Structures are given as structure tokens and as C-alpha cells.
């Protein structure tokens, strides 16, 4: 992932933009979500987003959807994502 990038989320959509000039790299609309609130987490192995009771993994380079978890039996509420910082031992 380029260090000059910023990931943002709005209205069922995740975008990757350049910090230097605000230009859009890609835009990915999340499927089957009725929620306008999208939370995201960036990890070394990927980009994760949640909306409408589902969690998604996106390819941070292309925005392509890699997988979806519908979180069975938990309803369609807001999902918050937390990321764990790498340990200093790594």
C-alpha cells in the first residue's frame, strides 16, 4: 500500500484517495448493505470494512471484494472494527 493514501468510508462505499492531492484511486460499493455508516480498519494483510451487520475484506490496492461475513444471528446493527497494533517484538 502506498504511504500517500487515505481510506475513507461514506454511504455504503469505501474509497482510496491520495493525501497529496485528493485524487481518487478507487471506489468500492459494499453489497447488500442498508447502512450508511461504514467503519474501516487497515491491516498489513488487507482492508476491512463493516456496514449493516456484515464485515468485508477488500483488496487495498484495487478495492475488490475478497470475502463477506454476514455475522449470522447478530442482526443488521452497527459493527465496529478494532485493529491490534503490531507488537514491538515483531
Amino acid at each position: 500500500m502506498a504511504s500517500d493514501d487515505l481510506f475513507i468510508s461514506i454511504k455504503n462505499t469505501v474509497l482510496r484517495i491520495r493525501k497529496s492531492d485528493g485524487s481518487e484511486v478507487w471506489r468500492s460499493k459494499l453489497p447488500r448493505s442498508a447502512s450508511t455508516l461504514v467503519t474501516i480498519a487497515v491491516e498489513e494483510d488487507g482492508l476491512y470494512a463493516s456496514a449493516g451487520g456484515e464485515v468485508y475484506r477488500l483488496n487495498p490496492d484495487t478495492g475488490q471484494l475478497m470475502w463477506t461475513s454476514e455475522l449470522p444471528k447478530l442482526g443488521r446493527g452497527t459493527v465496529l472494527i478494532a485493529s491490534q497494533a503490531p507488537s514491538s517484538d515483531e
Side-chain angles (χ1 to χ4, degrees):
M1 285 185 276
S3 62
D4 188 41
D5 292 347
L6 181 66
F7 296 96
I8 62 170
S9 59
I10 185 170
K11 292 186 179 180
N12 300 334
T13 304
V14 178
L15 297 95
R16 179 177 172 176
I17 62 171
R18 298 273 183 243
K19 290 183 201 177
S20 58
D21 62 9
S23 63
E24 186 175 309
V25 178
W26 55 254
R27 176 183 300 219
S28 182
K29 184 169 169 109
L30 301 177
R32 299 185 307 267
S33 176
S35 175
T36 58
L37 175 64
V38 178
T39 60
I40 55 177
V42 181
E43 293 279 327
E44 288 184 27
D45 67 341
L47 172 65
Y48 299 87
S50 67
E54 296 184 7
V55 176
Y56 307 92
R57 181 175 179 198
L58 304 170
N59 179 314
D61 295 324
T62 64
Q64 180 181 5
L65 182 64
M66 299 174 75
W67 55 251
T68 301
S69 176
E70 296 180 2
L71 305 175
K73 300 181 182 179
L74 292 175
R76 305 294 287 169
T78 301
V79 178
L80 301 178
I81 300 176
S83 177
Q84 182 174 342
S87 71
S88 58
D89 296 338
E90 295 181 10

